[in-house]
């Protein structure tokens, strides 16, 4: 009798899963065939093309959901790249996440405890480069790529706070 109940439960779960997937497919097709949906997608693409949001990768700062998606995407990409050993690209993605983060100091504390000291030092240098460019009045789009600016003066601070030596990063 117990064996029959397990079989019935398995069959019921399979049927329920199949019905759910069918439900999702049906409504996705219905949504995609809706003319209003197509208009909304075209309008969103035009708006992104005009603002250049698709090129820079930085979301509309007034759209909380877009910022959240971007933040999570950048954190995930940064962690993945650092795990693969691509520290420069990983740090750049983490720095992008810090820029849009609502509580950057808290995020930096978490990253300091979870990242190797050298990688965290690279992240601080990247954030200082961004801060230096912002202080110089760069009105262009936010970009955390390589800076053509002057050398950083904060190397001593990074060395004492994270225990890493900046000269070893190059």
């Amino acid at each position: 009798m117990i064996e029959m109940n397990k079989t019935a439960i398995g069959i019921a779960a399979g049927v329920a899963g199949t019905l759910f997937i069918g439900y999702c497919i049906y409504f996705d097709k219905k949504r995609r065939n809706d003319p209003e949906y197509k208009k909304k997608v075209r309008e969103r693409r035009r708006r992104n093309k005009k603002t250049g949001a698709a090129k820079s990768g930085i979301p509309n700062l007034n759209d909380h959901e877009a910022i959240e998606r971007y933040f999570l995407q950048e954190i995930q990409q940064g962690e993945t790249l650092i795990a693969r050993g691509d520290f420069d690209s990983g740090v750049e993605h983490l720095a992008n996440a810090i820029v849009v983060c609502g509580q950057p100091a808290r995020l930096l504390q978490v990253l300091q405890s979870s990242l190797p000291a050298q990688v965290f030092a690279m992240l601080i240098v990247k954030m200082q480069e961004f801060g230096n460019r912002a202080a110089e009045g760069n009105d262009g789009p936010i970009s955390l790529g390589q800076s053509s600016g002057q050398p950083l003066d904060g190397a001593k601070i990074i060395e004492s706070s994270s225990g890493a030596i900046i000269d070893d990063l190059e």
Side-chain angles (χ1 to χ4, degrees):
M1 175 138 174
I2 294 174
E3 196 63 39
M4 193 164 147
N5 285 337
K6 287 182 180 179
T7 305
I9 291 172
I11 290 172
V15 169
T18 303
L19 288 175
F20 178 73
I21 291 173
Y23 173 83
C24 291
I25 291 171
Y26 169 76
F27 279 105
D28 185 55
K29 184 174 181 178
K30 186 176 178 181
R31 175 184 60 101
R32 287 176 184 242
N33 289 334
D34 182 20
E36 290 298 315
Y37 171 76
K38 290 180 181 182
K39 287 179 186 175
K40 288 178 186 177
V41 169
R42 286 188 196 112
E43 177 62 33
R44 187 177 338 127
R45 287 179 183 163
R46 278 190 213 115
R47 191 172 48 239
N48 284 344
K49 195 172 187 180
K50 284 181 184 177
T51 61
K55 291 179 191 172
S56 68
I58 304 258
N60 179 357
L61 297 178
N62 295 326
D63 185 358
H64 181 69
E65 289 179 9
I67 292 171
E68 189 175 333
R69 279 192 309 270
Y70 178 77
F71 172 78
L72 293 173
Q73 171 190 340
E74 291 297 302
I75 290 288
Q76 184 179 20
Q77 285 180 341
E79 289 175 346
T80 302
L81 289 168
I82 289 171
R84 289 183 188 159
D86 186 0
F87 298 124
D88 291 331
S89 298
V91 164
E92 181 142 351
H93 285 285
L94 291 177
N96 288 340
I98 292 169
V99 168
V100 298
C101 181
Q103 299 175 338
R106 195 168 174 193
L107 177 60
L108 282 169
Q109 286 176 341
V110 171
L111 290 173
Q112 184 175 14
S113 65
S114 63
L115 291 175
Q118 275 190 315
V119 175
F120 184 74
M122 291 170 66
L123 179 62
I124 296 299
V125 169
K126 185 67 72 175
M127 294 308 299
Q128 284 180 337
E129 289 174 2
F130 174 70
N132 288 346
R133 266 182 277 146
E136 291 171 2
N138 182 6
D139 292 330
I142 296 173
S143 170
L144 295 175
Q146 291 294 348
S147 151
S148 60
Q150 307 153 0
L152 297 172
D153 296 331
K156 239 184 219 177
I157 295 170
I158 293 171
E159 182 176 341
S160 63
S161 67
S162 69
I165 300 173
I166 300 301
D167 293 335
D168 289 346
L169 296 175
E170 298 295 328

